Amino acid sequence: MNTLSGISPIKQLKGVGPALEIKLAKLGLFVVRDLLLHIPLRYEDRTRFVPLSLMRPGKAALFHGEIVESSVVFGRRRSLIVTLTDGTGYLQIRLFHFSRRQQNELMAGTQLRCFGEPRFTGRGLEIAHPEYRVVHGEIEPPEGVLTPVYPTTEGMGQTRLRKLVNQAIDIGWDGFELPAFESNSAAPANSPFNLGMNAAIRLLHRPPAECTSADLERAQQRLAMDELLAHHLLMKERQVIRLRERGVPLPQAGGLGRQLLDQLGFELTNAQKRCVRELFSDLDRNQPMMRLVQGDVGSGKTILAAFAAIRAAEHGAQTAIMAPTEILAEQHYMNFSEWLSPLGIEVCLLTGRLSAAERRHQLARIEAAEVPVVIGTHALFQQSVVFGNLALAVIDEQHRFGVHQRMALKHKGKMPHQLIMTATPIPRTLTMAIYADLDISIIDELPKGRQPIQTRMLPDSRREEVIDWLRPRLAKGDQVYWVCNLIDPSDDPKLHCVTDLFEDLRKALPGTPAALLHGRLPSSDKSANMAAFKVAETKLLVATTVIEVGVDVPNASVIVIENSERLGLAQLHQLRGRVGRGSRKSYCVLLHTDKLGKFAQSRLDAMVASQDGFFIAEKDLELRGPGDVLGTRQTGEAQFRVADLMRDAQLLPGIGELGDRLLAEDPDSATAVLATWATPDWGYGSV
Ligand code: ADP
Ligand code: MG
């Protein structure tokens, strides 16, 4: 008798003890249903035996044969070599680690059933450490279905996961399932709308041998639809709640905004002006603002927050500004001080570097609402930070924060207005789906006078040329970032590390004031080094990707990126955005290993071809390739278990309509969908 259900704790399954339970939790698996939604990364085909004559290098296969020879060889490494035949051909198996028992077992005459991927060696096909089983008597037939390979964690074998998933499949899907999908007769026969949840789940975990990748995709979309629907419903629910909330309106109450405008050294772009108007009209109302500003790197998002903070200050209320890194928080502190201090608005920086006494003092003043603008990292969320009169929360580079954090800041005031800024270049339809509960402003224009950044790829063997090219520029006062993502030396001679690089560059460029910046430096060194670069005391900053987000030094005009073939497109785009922020002609040099793979080449080509974040995001999607369609996970705001917003984008409009219809006609089902899918990652339950 089986009394378990989809929401039974996973420890109630057979074979799950406390140790396993902890590992499963690491994978986000807590209840039985989570296992059903743990979608395989890929599949292995053990549904037929491949004759040895047809085995091909690089193709994993199931095969069997009889051992004709077995010997221990002493080459560079001692190994046990076993030769097999099945009558059609021969194949070698090599074990580098083997026990006495294995050696005795793997003797001529023994029958083996194996699975593995052959390589081509001088002496023919060989497999190192295949899975194998000694056959006594009849050879077990091949598997009836493809073998799933699951995302896993250390100490958690595939076999164990498969067994657990099997138990979950026996219990089946008992979560909410939209009947509308199944009875949707208008949908074509091969549409995911015509597949039930249980059928889709079975197909994904136990696909029959003849199953195509189109079948698998359809099954995955079936699951994704319900998940996306749940997400849509949650966003709608939040929106409804938000429209009922009442905050404190912050209409214009002085001339400080005008004053800031007059004292800025530049004129706002039209896009910035439009955004300012949009957020001012939000602030005029007594409904709390919830606005997302999306704009490519360097488009000038920061200043918008200053205009909003002025509104709050004019009402004697506080603004909290949160940045994802200390470096960025310090930079904001400098900028906001420069903009706001002349207007008599005090700005304070709350970081981990304050002494205990300073911190206590600042906290007391923040609680007494004596400081109008407070800047910090996620440390602002801490319980000990109490705002006397918080009216506005600004979250910069919001994709770096989780939803809970966003929510937590909100609870620090009486329904504060929220301004959220992001540079993630995702297509507009997707933005609207992920952030369906927010109002969106887009900065689609760069400040005037920016020159395109000239981007070049160069193989590592030509790095000397880069250094020679830099010399006269550095002498003229240009500032240079040299980025290298590894902190410690690696075994791989192709990889550079930032500490060695720093020494090398100092030798190669004597007389150039240089500094090092990476995450493991003491935080006082980090900020001193960053500050020195900002005021051009140092000309060369050798850094890891800690500078990736937000860092703004308009005078820096060159960025050199080491081992650029190892970074993703989005990250390269962010890094390149560190230059081209002033009126100087800027350059980006992508150093790469001498031999580039096909995908790395295409990625770097895309960087050379364009500077447009949207173009680059689309290329990124394209280059992730069909092989990566299963198992790709969206990072950022919403963590989906099955859905992938890029891949499933075409489902979104239909899902939106369906969701709205459900809310109007069948709210109970809407609640059930949410209860089935929504996770704390989405901020469910914490609205
Ligand atoms: P991001 O959108 O990447 O956060 P920032 O707000 O850091 O961009 O702005 C990039 C740089 O451009 C900063 O040095 C900022 O002072 C400057 N800037 C912002 N708006 C303008 C403008 N309208 N004209 C000229 N420079 C501007
Ligand atoms: Mg920024």
Side-chain angles (χ1 to χ4, degrees):
M1 198 190 70
N2 206 337
T3 54
L4 295 184
S5 77
I7 53 170
S8 302
I10 211 161
K11 65 166 180 262
Q12 292 183 5
L13 290 176
K14 274 199 287 295
V16 183
L20 191 57
E21 195 186 354
I22 291 170
K23 285 187 191 130
L24 290 166
K26 266 198 205 149
L27 292 169
L29 307 174
F30 302 97
V31 299
V32 168
R33 189 177 297 150
D34 295 335
L35 281 166
L36 296 176
L37 300 177
H38 195 55
I39 307 300
L41 289 170
R42 59 189 175 86
Y43 303 92
E44 289 172 349
D45 188 353
R46 292 159 215 245
T47 62
R48 63 202 175 97
F49 288 113
V50 174
L52 292 183
S53 59
L54 295 181
M55 293 286 284
R56 293 288 172 262
K59 278 203 79 147
L62 183 71
F63 57 94
H64 65 80
E66 182 179 323
I67 299 180
V68 289
E69 206 191 316
S70 157
S71 58
V72 175
V73 297
F74 298 87
R76 272 208 326 228
R77 284 170 78 186
R78 196 175 80 109
S79 53
L80 175 63
I81 295 189
V82 169
T83 307
L84 283 184
T85 184
D86 65 349
T88 72
Y90 291 88
L91 187 136
Q92 279 193 351
I93 287 173
R94 186 187 285 265
L95 303 184
F96 294 106
H97 318 279
F98 55 94
S99 63
R100 175 55 55 100
R101 192 181 60 82
Q102 281 177 304
Q103 195 178 340
N104 290 338
E105 194 176 56
L106 299 175
M107 298 282 250
T110 302
Q111 295 278 341
L112 294 183
R113 181 190 198 268
C114 313
F115 180 84
E117 182 186 311
R119 293 183 304 131
F120 200 73
T121 70
R123 278 156 293 115
L125 287 183
E126 181 178 293
I127 304 185
H129 290 275
E131 283 170 36
Y132 75 87
R133 230 183 278 163
V134 174
V135 177
H136 306 281
E138 286 280 295
I139 298 180
E140 259 180 76
E143 310 274 334
V145 295
L146 297 176
T147 311
V149 178
Y150 294 103
T152 187
T153 178
E154 211 180 306
M156 174 71 133
Q158 291 292 334
T159 320
R160 208 131 46 145
L161 266 174
R162 280 174 208 143
K163 282 191 180 145
L164 290 174
V165 172
N166 276 339
Q167 292 186 55
I169 291 179
D170 288 342
I171 294 162
W173 180 261
D174 56 7
F176 187 82
E177 173 164 2
L178 267 183
F181 282 159
E182 280 188 294
S183 61
N184 191 331
S185 54
N190 64 351
S191 153
F193 283 94
N194 290 327
L195 201 61
M197 279 298 270
N198 266 311
I201 283 171
R202 221 166 247 284
L203 194 78
L204 283 170
H205 290 284
R206 303 290 172 257
E210 65 278 9
C211 178
T212 64
S213 59
D215 294 332
L216 291 169
E217 222 165 281
R218 174 173 166 238
Q220 204 167 42
Q221 287 200 342
R222 175 62 189 83
L223 269 61
M225 287 192 307
D226 275 28
E227 189 176 33
L228 290 170
L229 178 69
H231 187 258
H232 178 83
L233 293 173
L234 181 64
M235 293 300 121
K236 284 289 162 187
E237 186 178 289
R238 277 207 203 138
Q239 202 175 35
V240 169
I241 293 174
R242 183 158 71 83
L243 291 177
R244 269 195 245 119
E245 286 171 348
R246 289 293 171 266
V248 181
L250 301 172
Q252 188 180 351
L256 294 180
R258 181 83 248 163
Q259 215 175 310
L260 173 61
L261 210 52
D262 291 341
Q263 110 204 357
L264 277 180
F266 50 76
E267 196 181 335
L268 294 185
T269 62
N270 287 329
Q272 284 171 317
K273 285 182 192 157
R274 192 184 59 236
C275 286
V276 171
R277 272 201 302 276
E278 284 166 351
L279 64 93
F280 277 177
S281 93
D282 290 349
L283 294 175
D284 287 341
R285 290 192 213 125
N286 66 354
Q287 262 156 13
M289 165 170 84
M290 188 66 138
R291 184 165 289 278
L292 176 80
V293 174
Q294 194 188 15
D296 211 344
V297 284
S299 59
K301 294 182 288 293
T302 322
I303 189 71
L304 303 178
F307 282 102
I310 286 176
R311 281 279 186 103
E314 284 178 339
H315 289 265
Q318 291 171 294
T319 299
I321 299 174
M322 194 174 62
T325 63
E326 278 207 357
I327 293 179
L328 196 49
E330 285 178 10
Q331 177 184 296
H332 282 341
Y333 175 66
M334 290 199 268
N335 284 330
F336 282 86
S337 301
E338 194 184 312
W339 290 327
L340 301 182
S341 302
L343 312 180
I345 300 173
E346 185 187 341
V347 181
C348 112
L349 177 67
L350 201 65
T351 67
R353 285 205 297 119
L354 296 179
S355 72
E358 281 169 330
R359 186 180 161 79
R360 243 192 335 268
H361 176 66
Q362 291 293 22
L363 286 179
R365 297 189 60 223
I366 293 168
E367 185 161 3
E370 287 167 21
V371 206
V373 178
V374 183
I375 298 178
T377 60
H378 46 268
L380 289 186
F381 293 130
Q382 286 165 358
Q383 292 250 307
S384 55
V385 187
V386 180
F387 290 86
N389 186 10
L390 184 66
L392 171 67
V394 178
I395 294 151
D396 192 19
E397 305 288 351
Q398 93 91 30
H399 53 286
R400 296 277 166 147
F401 295 102
V403 192
H404 345 265
Q405 295 181 316
R406 197 173 98 200
M407 298 287 170
L409 198 51
K410 168 177 162 181
H411 292 298
K412 291 210 173 267
K414 288 190 238 86
M415 294 299 158
H417 297 279
Q418 291 191 66
L419 176 63
I420 296 162
M421 305 196 282
T422 183
T424 334
I426 46 177
R428 199 186 159 98
T429 46
L430 290 192
T431 315
M432 297 202 324
I434 313 178
Y435 303 113
D437 60 331
L438 311 182
D439 297 314
I440 298 170
S441 293
I442 294 185
I443 311 192
D444 48 8
E445 181 186 4
L446 290 178
K448 277 200 223 43
R450 297 276 170 88
Q451 299 185 43
I453 303 167
Q454 197 173 328
T455 304
R456 234 183 125 181
M457 298 164 60
L458 268 187
D460 213 20
S461 52
R462 295 179 59 187
R463 57 196 299 119
E464 293 301 324
E465 291 172 40
V466 180
I467 295 173
D468 290 340
W469 174 79
L470 281 179
R471 269 191 202 101
R473 302 193 163 269
L474 285 162
K476 273 199 339 240
D478 280 5
Q479 287 182 273
V480 176
Y481 295 103
W482 197 306
V483 178
C484 172
N485 208 19
L486 215 58
I487 301 184
D488 298 312
S490 129
D491 290 340
D492 187 341
K494 290 195 295 292
L495 297 184
H496 299 272
C497 87
V498 76
T499 38
D500 289 352
L501 178 70
F502 182 56
E503 289 314 316
D504 292 350
L505 288 175
R506 277 228 291 208
K507 280 191 207 112
L509 298 164
T512 301
L516 179 64
L517 191 70
H518 64 69
R520 271 200 260 127
L521 290 179
S523 86
S524 54
D525 290 5
K526 267 192 279 189
S527 70
N529 291 355
M530 192 65 232
F533 189 67
K534 179 120 192 166
V535 298
E537 244 165 55
T538 43
K539 302 290 180 200
L540 174 64
L541 189 67
V542 182
T544 56
T545 48
V546 284
I547 60 152
E548 175 188 339
V549 277
V551 169
D552 180 48
V553 181
N555 189 50
S557 58
V558 178
I559 184 163
V560 183
I561 305 172
E562 291 277 349
N563 292 117
S564 59
E565 77 279 1
R566 298 176 60 92
L567 300 177
L569 263 180
Q571 206 175 11
L572 288 171
H573 179 65
Q574 287 285 335
L575 281 170
R576 179 171 57 184
R578 292 316 113 216
V579 298
R581 295 181 154 247
S583 50
R584 278 172 193 254
K585 169 99 185 110
S586 296
Y587 302 87
C588 169
V589 181
L590 304 169
L591 284 174
H592 58 79
T593 53
D594 292 351
K595 263 206 234 107
L596 267 186
K598 192 171 107 224
F599 280 108
Q601 174 84 44
S602 319
R603 267 206 308 271
L604 299 185
D605 284 345
M607 285 294 293
V608 173
S610 173
Q611 221 177 298
D612 173 356
F614 286 91
F615 171 84
I616 287 177
E618 255 147 45
K619 266 285 173 236
D620 200 16
L621 174 64
E622 197 182 302
L623 289 173
R624 280 204 275 165
D628 205 15
V629 166
L630 295 180
T632 45
R633 295 285 133 94
Q634 185 82 24
T635 52
E637 176 84 348
Q639 291 288 340
F640 291 101
R641 293 196 272 189
V642 184
D644 177 323
L645 285 170
M646 295 283 196
R647 182 197 64 204
D648 301 326
Q650 84 285 2
L651 293 175
L652 291 171
I655 299 280
E657 274 169 37
L658 192 71
D660 294 344
R661 212 171 65 215
L662 206 61
L663 280 174
E665 292 165 14
D666 187 3
D668 287 348
S669 293
T671 309
V673 175
L674 269 178
T676 298
W677 285 92
T679 68
D681 269 353
W682 294 359
Y684 182 55
S686 56
V687 211

